[in-house]
Amino acid sequence: MSGIGHDRRGAWRAALACMVTLAVAMGLGRFAFTPMLPIMLSEGKLELAGGGLLASLNYLGYFFGAVSCAAIGIKASSMVRGGLLATAALLVGMGLLHSFIGWGVLRAAAGVMSAWVFVFASGWGLRRLAETNSPMLAGVIYTGPGIGIAMTGLLGGALGRWGSEAGWIGLGLLAVVLIAVIWRVFDDGERVGVAGGAAASPAAATGSVSGSASARSDAIWLVALYGLAGFGYIITATFLPVIARQALPGSPWPDFFWPLFGAAIIPGALIGARAPVHWDNRLLLAAAYALQALGVVFSVAWPSIAGFALGSLLLGMPFTAITLFAMREARRLRGNAAAGLIGYATASYGVGQIIGPLFAAPLAQRTGSFQLPLLVAAAALALGAALFAVVWSKYRRSQAA
């Protein structure tokens, strides 16, 4: 019994450390820009199109970080620690530098770090949970981005009252404190491999069907449709406070929709992780895409406090659940060789994220409204939901035959 207890403690240590890691790398390093953007716009430091370009540079960095992971042979714990320290430094740097080019370099570098930390921390954490027979704690890991987003939304706006410089530096110092808390946990399980094990781990038990033609077809669909998720959510995720302020001028509520989005991610990740392994991932992805499409539509069709609140909840709840289901589907298709497929899917998601702000910001600046970009984003998510349902339906028919 004592051995089991030790494994349980080790599993919780790993899950909570990875949760905090993703909160720092994703919630702060990647998404702090969302609540800071309206502050920088109001200070006259940026125009909306420039903000969209900085966002896309961050997502471009995320893309390159994701596709480079398979070629990195450094120990996972070292990559996580190095990426976290760099994330904190890059946040502080946003407050210290005052040039657009400098900000562009910092945001691109932050994107690379967030991808590296996400992939390596996911691999390290999922493998530790498999070793300690606690795969259901994966949901705890993926609450991290939501916790980080909620923190940036609440603290970013408050710190920003002293100016965007104070906001960025304050968030960087918060990252340092969180990193110090979890630093030693990554000494656990030193035998864990590097990125190649990233997403391999616990679901090998679900079985790999990588040799079949249908599996190859499903892998292509997964990579293509995962990109629609990246495009579909990113316009709202980048500009939500700006969109809400345009619709609700003078209201104090726009600063709370972004942390509400982050808070909604937390139950979504926990619920998603508890989805039985025999449930079809493609159908789960279709449902999650449909929820996000509905959330985006609410912000257009019902631009009120209630509409934005409901839209934020519907967009946030499936956010990391989509990632969880996509990783699970990749492991179903490729088993312990899933890392390559996950890398391609993550790169596709990254392309969608890059295109989103580049498409939305200039159009919104020219028309004075985000209505058309948001409707296009909702259509992309709805298309993804429909196509995942079609792929699932074809699978069911083939099984019945």
Side-chain angles (χ1 to χ4, degrees):
M1 291 296 293
S2 60
I4 295 173
H6 173 75
D7 283 347
R8 193 69 178 167
R9 285 194 297 273
W12 273 104
R13 273 171 58 88
L16 292 173
C18 290
M19 177 192 78
V20 174
T21 294
L22 296 190
V24 172
M26 308 291 285
L28 275 70
R30 186 171 166 204
F31 286 117
F33 186 70
T34 298
M36 297 306 298
L37 176 58
I39 300 169
M40 297 176 78
L41 290 172
S42 67
E43 292 173 342
K45 294 179 177 177
L46 280 176
E47 292 186 350
L48 188 56
L53 179 57
L54 288 180
S56 288
L57 286 171
N58 180 255
Y59 308 137
L60 180 64
Y62 187 84
F63 170 82
F64 282 115
V67 298
S68 68
C69 283
I72 296 174
I74 300 172
K75 190 167 59 177
S77 58
S78 299
M79 286 297 297
V80 171
R81 285 169 165 166
L84 288 173
L85 290 176
T87 297
L90 292 165
L91 286 168
V92 172
M94 285 294 295
L96 297 179
L97 294 185
H98 300 93
S99 73
F100 185 83
I101 293 175
W103 291 332
V105 172
L106 291 176
R107 294 311 296 156
V112 174
M113 293 304 121
S114 63
W116 284 353
V117 172
F118 178 81
V119 171
F120 282 87
S122 293
W124 185 92
L126 292 175
R127 186 71 66 86
R128 289 291 292 149
L129 295 185
E131 291 170 350
T132 51
N133 297 313
S134 303
M136 295 305 290
L137 290 181
V140 175
I141 294 176
Y142 294 106
T143 63
I147 292 170
I149 288 170
M151 284 193 300
T152 63
L154 294 172
L155 296 178
L159 292 169
R161 292 173 186 169
W162 287 279
S164 59
E165 293 94 342
W168 283 112
I169 293 171
L171 291 172
L173 294 177
L174 173 62
V176 171
V177 172
L178 295 174
I179 292 165
V181 171
I182 61 169
W183 186 264
R184 294 188 62 185
V185 178
F186 289 97
D187 289 329
D188 293 352
E190 284 297 326
R191 67 183 179 279
V192 174
V194 295
S201 59
T206 64
S208 168
V209 291
S210 58
S212 69
S214 63
R216 289 191 292 273
S217 174
D218 282 355
I220 293 170
W221 278 113
L222 176 63
V223 170
L225 298 185
Y226 200 42
L228 291 179
F231 176 84
Y233 93 95
I234 199 59
I235 295 172
T236 305
T238 301
F239 301 109
L240 178 57
V242 177
I243 296 167
R245 288 186 186 198
Q246 287 182 352
L248 304 169
S251 170
W253 280 97
D255 288 339
F256 293 99
F257 297 131
W258 179 243
L260 182 61
F261 167 79
I265 291 172
I266 299 169
L270 294 173
I271 294 168
R274 299 192 70 82
V277 294
H278 64 271
W279 286 10
D280 195 284
N281 301 308
R282 292 158 293 191
L283 199 57
L284 291 170
L285 284 164
Y289 278 41
L291 282 177
Q292 285 202 320
L294 190 59
V296 175
V297 167
F298 267 118
S299 63
V300 178
W302 193 14
S304 63
I305 293 171
F308 279 113
L310 188 55
S312 298
L313 290 171
L314 291 175
L315 190 70
M317 281 196 70
F319 177 60
T320 53
I322 285 174
T323 298
L324 204 59
F325 298 149
M327 292 177 72
R328 201 169 77 172
E329 176 68 0
R331 294 196 299 270
R332 181 187 74 85
L333 294 171
R334 297 289 172 84
N336 282 331
L341 177 55
I342 286 179
Y344 288 125
T346 303
S348 174
Y349 193 85
V351 170
Q353 292 181 130
I354 294 164
I355 294 172
L358 291 176
F359 162 73
L363 184 57
Q365 186 165 313
R366 189 163 58 248
T367 63
S369 171
F370 278 91
Q371 184 171 348
L372 181 57
L374 289 173
L375 288 174
V376 173
L381 287 164
L383 176 63
L387 290 175
F388 266 126
V390 167
V391 173
W392 171 78
S393 178
K394 287 176 63 178
Y395 168 76
R396 293 282 291 179
R397 289 198 298 271
S398 68
Q399 292 294 100

